């Protein structure tokens, strides 16, 4: 009797009303990620209005953008640590609250300092939400839902980004950037409510796991320092210590965290688990394609505004063709996920982004209204086919229980590549006095990076000595077994 009374006296754990509901889980993940991603893609087009309203210069605006992106990259790593020890539901709700507060600060800021604080809060929150929200969506709904989930993630990570230029053009045309931040804050609040309703209550996998005293500080240095240096580049030069010193130190820290995670017995991110053929090839593809995509979109925007003299709203409308490309890529991703063609799709996406770079070399003021939409279509397809499939090549090569930390590592590397390469090449294009020629040089360098990176990724795959094969999704979802039987790095040479 005493035992029964004791059991009845224990507090009951209430199940979230919509827990296990697939549409609710999809909505939860999209609300977590999309607002910040749209804002990041939109901010370049309302930069001048922002500078005027906040009485700041180009460096202040660059710092807001750069440090928010640094917060995003660091947030993914920090979340990989926290969700091991704290229930992911709590992390999700706390981060959505942080996102709302950051959005309201950025919206109401009287000056650039408060605006930067708000933007950093948005970035950190979204990076953490990526790791807290995406893995449950992928792993909790069975193998039959996984292809649809993959397509949704592709649309969420890149499809919604393609609306950024249009949103930015509207904000610039009507001086309504504060309205954009207000809408973003409302979407964050909706995400918080959806988290209360739909995020499942589960115990953390390793509540006794200690804080990574080495990895987290290195992650801060690897994200904040490079983005800080690149932000100062907008008001300086490549030879400036304000650029060179933090970027160099940050890249050293990035190498340090990768090496440290490889040799650590209980790593924050499973570097050793994915240091073999398929994930290495996929990470290379994601880094190169993502960096090139960001660079080429910004180059197209600068050319259309500064050379062809189109208003921001027209530029945003011209680039909405990206959404069509993303939708086609998401459908192909859904079809290819359970087959052996996933790596081929990723390499094909990279090749299409290279075709977009080559097309932008033909830009002229009289043809920009034709070339930019076609390039946008190619860029949308290339990003959707190249980055998200490559991300899954890495994720499926580690056990499903390690999906969150794997996503954190890939997003850290991809974000640093994307948000470093684009500002550096944009600065290169805008120096020298001849803007059309500078944009051509930057597009050519981007094309060279794509060709070199693609060749490296394909070589890694070939040196594995094993033909592409279909992943075992059911076994992957069931336990601690990777979906891919990925050979060791350079296994063909080793044998």
């Amino acid at each position: 009797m005493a035992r029964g009374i004791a059991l009845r006296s224990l507090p009951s754990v209430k199940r979230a009303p919509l827990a296990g509901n697939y549409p609710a889980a999809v909505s939860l993940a999209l609300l977590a990620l999309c607002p910040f991603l749209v804002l990041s893609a939109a901010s370049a087009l309302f930069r001048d209005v922002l500078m005027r309203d906040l009485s700041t210069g180009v460096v202040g605006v660059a710092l807001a953008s750069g440090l928010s992106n640094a917060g995003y990259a660091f947030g993914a790593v920090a979340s990989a640590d926290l969700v091991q020890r704290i229930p992911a539901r709590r992390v999700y709700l706390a981060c959505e609250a942080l996102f709302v507060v950051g959005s309201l600060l950025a919206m109401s800021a009287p000056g650039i300092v408060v605006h930067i604080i708000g933007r950093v809060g948005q970035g950190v929150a979204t990076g953490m939400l990526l790791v807290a929200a995406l893995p449950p969506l992928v792993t909790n709904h069975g193998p039959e839902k996984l292809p649809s989930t993959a397509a949704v993630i592709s649309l969420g990570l890149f499809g919604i980004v393609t609306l950024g230029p249009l949103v930015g053009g509207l904000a610039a045309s009507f001086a309504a950037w504060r309205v954009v931040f207000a809408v973003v804050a409302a979407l964050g609040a909706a995400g918080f409510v959806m988290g209360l309703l739909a995020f499942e209550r589960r115990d953390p996998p390793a509540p006794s796991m200690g804080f990574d005293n080495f990895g987290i500080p290195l992650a801060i240095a690897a994200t904040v320092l490079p983005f800080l240096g690149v932000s100062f580049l907008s008001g300086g030069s490549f030879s400036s210590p304000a650029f060179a010193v933090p970027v160099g130190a940050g890249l050293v820290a990035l190498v340090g965290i990768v090496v440290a995670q490889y040799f650590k017995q209980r790593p924050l991110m499973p570097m050793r688990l994915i240091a073999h053929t398929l994930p290495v090839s996929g990470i290379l593809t994601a880094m190169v394609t993502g960096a090139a995509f960001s660079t080429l979109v910004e180059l197209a925007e600068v050319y259309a505004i500064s050379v062809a003299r189109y208003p921001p709203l027209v530029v945003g409308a011209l680039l909405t063709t990206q959404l069509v490309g993303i939708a086609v890529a998401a459908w192909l991703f859904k079809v290819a996920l359970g087959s052996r063609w996933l790596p081929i799709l990723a390499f094909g996406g990279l090749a299409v982004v290279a075709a977009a770079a080559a097309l932008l070399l033909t830009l002229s003021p009289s043809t920009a209204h034709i070339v930019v939409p076609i390039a946008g279509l190619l860029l949308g397809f290339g990003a959707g086919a190249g980055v998200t499939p490559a991300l899954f090549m890495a994720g499926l090569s580690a056990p499903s229980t390690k999906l969150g930390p794997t996503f954190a590592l890939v997003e850290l590397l991809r974000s640093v590549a994307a948000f470093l390469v684009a500002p550096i090449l944009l600065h290169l294009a805008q120096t020298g006095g001849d803007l059309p020629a500078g944009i051509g040089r930057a597009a050519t360098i981007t094309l060279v990076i794509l060709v070199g990176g693609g060749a490296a990724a394909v070589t890694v795959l070939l040196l594995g000595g094993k033909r592409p094969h279909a992943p075992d999704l059911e076994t992957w979802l069931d336990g601690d077994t990777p979906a891919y039987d990925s050979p060791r790095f350079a296994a063909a040479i080793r044998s």
Side-chain angles (χ1 to χ4, degrees):
M1 177 67 70
R3 177 181 172 85
I5 293 173
L7 286 175
R8 285 195 297 271
S9 66
L10 290 174
S12 61
V13 178
K14 294 182 179 179
R15 180 178 171 86
L18 297 179
N21 182 279
Y22 182 70
V26 170
S27 301
L28 182 150
L30 293 181
L31 286 169
L33 300 177
C34 292
F36 177 80
L37 297 176
V38 171
L39 191 59
S40 295
S43 59
L45 288 178
F46 60 74
R47 182 188 64 179
D48 292 343
V49 179
L50 197 68
M51 289 167 56
R52 183 196 67 202
D53 289 354
L54 297 181
S55 301
T56 188
V58 66
V59 174
V61 175
L63 281 170
S65 177
L67 291 179
S68 69
N69 291 327
Y72 173 80
F74 169 71
V77 178
S79 188
D81 175 71
L82 287 177
V83 296
Q84 299 299 313
R85 295 178 281 111
I86 300 173
R89 186 175 190 268
R90 295 183 189 173
V91 175
Y92 178 92
L93 294 174
C95 290
E96 281 288 22
L98 174 61
F99 183 84
V100 172
V101 171
S103 299
L104 294 175
L105 280 175
M107 177 198 72
S108 59
I112 191 61
V113 174
V114 176
H115 184 76
I116 290 174
I117 293 171
R119 292 295 306 276
V120 171
Q122 287 180 318
V124 172
T126 304
M128 296 183 72
L129 287 166
L130 173 81
V131 175
L134 275 192
L137 174 62
V138 174
T139 59
N140 290 353
H141 300 279
E144 65 281 355
K145 291 288 188 183
L146 196 48
S148 298
T149 300
V152 167
I153 290 174
S154 182
L155 286 171
L157 286 179
F158 286 100
I160 202 70
V161 170
T162 62
L163 296 178
L166 181 60
V167 172
L170 287 167
S173 298
F174 298 100
W177 65 269
R178 294 188 192 271
V179 175
V180 172
F181 279 91
V183 172
V184 162
L187 291 173
F192 182 87
V193 172
M194 186 58 71
L196 289 174
L197 295 174
F199 208 112
E200 293 192 37
R201 291 177 168 90
R202 294 196 176 190
D203 293 331
S208 62
M209 183 176 176
F211 179 78
D212 194 331
N213 296 313
F214 189 67
I216 295 297
L218 271 181
I220 295 174
T223 52
V224 173
L225 291 178
F227 292 103
L228 188 67
V230 168
S231 299
F232 284 120
L233 183 61
S234 59
S237 65
F238 291 115
S239 60
S240 169
F243 164 73
V245 173
V247 169
L251 292 179
V252 169
L254 181 64
V255 173
I257 193 172
V258 169
V259 173
Q261 294 299 303
Y262 183 86
F263 289 105
K264 191 174 175 66
Q265 186 175 3
R266 294 186 68 184
L268 176 62
M269 296 173 289
M271 189 63 214
R272 186 181 290 273
L273 283 176
I274 61 174
H276 45 90
T277 296
L278 273 173
V280 170
S281 179
I283 290 171
L284 275 173
T285 303
M287 290 173 65
V288 172
T289 307
F293 170 79
S294 300
T295 302
L296 294 172
V297 169
E298 291 202 35
L299 290 175
E301 290 175 351
V302 170
Y303 191 97
I305 290 174
S306 301
V307 179
R309 301 296 180 184
Y310 296 153
L313 183 56
V314 172
V315 176
L318 290 175
L319 284 169
T320 53
T321 53
Q322 295 177 87
L323 187 57
V324 178
I326 286 282
V328 174
W331 177 79
L332 287 175
F333 184 26
K334 178 180 178 181
V335 172
L337 180 64
S339 74
R340 61 176 176 165
W341 298 106
L342 190 62
I344 308 304
L345 178 62
F347 297 147
L350 186 151
V352 171
V353 174
L359 180 62
L360 288 179
L361 292 175
T362 68
L363 272 172
S364 69
S366 61
T367 62
H369 66 289
I370 299 173
V371 171
V372 170
I374 297 175
L377 181 68
L378 296 176
L379 287 169
F381 178 86
V387 179
T388 317
L391 179 69
F392 270 76
M393 285 171 62
L396 294 174
S397 298
S400 60
T401 53
K402 301 292 184 183
L403 186 61
T406 301
F407 276 0
L409 176 61
V410 176
E411 279 299 288
L412 171 65
L413 297 174
R414 187 190 69 82
S415 298
V416 170
F419 296 128
L420 279 183
V421 171
I424 288 173
L425 290 182
L426 192 63
H427 181 76
L428 179 66
Q430 293 174 320
T431 56
D434 188 346
L435 183 58
I439 290 174
R441 284 194 302 271
T444 301
I445 294 172
T446 306
L447 181 58
V448 171
I449 292 173
L450 283 162
V451 172
V458 172
T459 300
V460 168
L461 189 67
L462 293 177
L463 289 179
K466 187 172 185 177
R467 292 182 178 180
H469 58 282
D472 186 349
L473 299 179
E474 281 196 44
T475 302
W476 181 72
L477 289 173
D478 283 344
D480 293 329
T481 304
Y484 280 120
D485 179 18
S486 178
R488 295 174 64 197
F489 185 72
I493 296 176
R494 292 171 185 261
S495 61

